[in-house]
Amino acid sequence: MSVDKATVAKIANLARIAVKEDELEPLAGELNNILDWIEQLSEVNTDGVQPMTSAVDMSLPWRADKVTDGGYRDKILANAPKAAHGFFSVPKVIE
């Protein structure tokens, strides 16, 4: 796949990026180099390679999946302009 000046201009337009006419040709060359590099990567044999999320082999700590109320109701309601019966109190919207 190769990119020409017209394609670069269309991409710039879609991305809402202002690109001058004299910058289109160098950008096309850079994009073609990137696409060539991606094609080289697709030729690499990755059969049997496990996917990884990090270069460091580690496991994430797991916590118990328990539902709690957080235990901070009084601290949270202290910041509320109005509170009633342990809840935020807001003005009536619909009459």
Side-chain angles (χ1 to χ4, degrees):
M1 175 179 211
S2 66
V3 178
D4 58 351
K5 284 174 52 172
T7 306
V8 173
K10 184 175 181 180
I11 293 169
N13 183 34
L14 291 172
R16 305 291 192 259
I17 299 171
V19 179
K20 297 176 185 172
E21 184 68 30
D22 59 338
E23 296 174 342
L24 291 176
E25 193 66 41
L27 279 176
E30 289 180 29
L31 288 174
N32 283 324
N33 288 338
I34 292 170
L35 292 174
D36 290 340
W37 184 70
I38 291 171
E39 286 179 11
Q40 284 180 347
L41 286 177
S42 67
E43 294 172 3
V44 175
N45 183 9
T46 58
D47 294 338
V49 177
Q50 293 292 325
M52 58 185 213
T53 57
S54 173
V56 178
D57 187 25
M58 59 184 268
S59 60
L60 295 174
W62 291 90
R63 63 171 173 80
D65 191 15
K66 295 186 294 185
V67 177
T68 65
D69 66 352
Y72 301 110
R73 181 179 70 178
D74 295 334
K75 289 182 182 178
I76 293 171
L77 290 176
N79 292 323
K82 286 186 177 181
H85 309 292
F87 297 99
F88 289 103
S89 180
V90 296
K92 186 189 268 188
V93 177
I94 300 174
E95 293 184 32

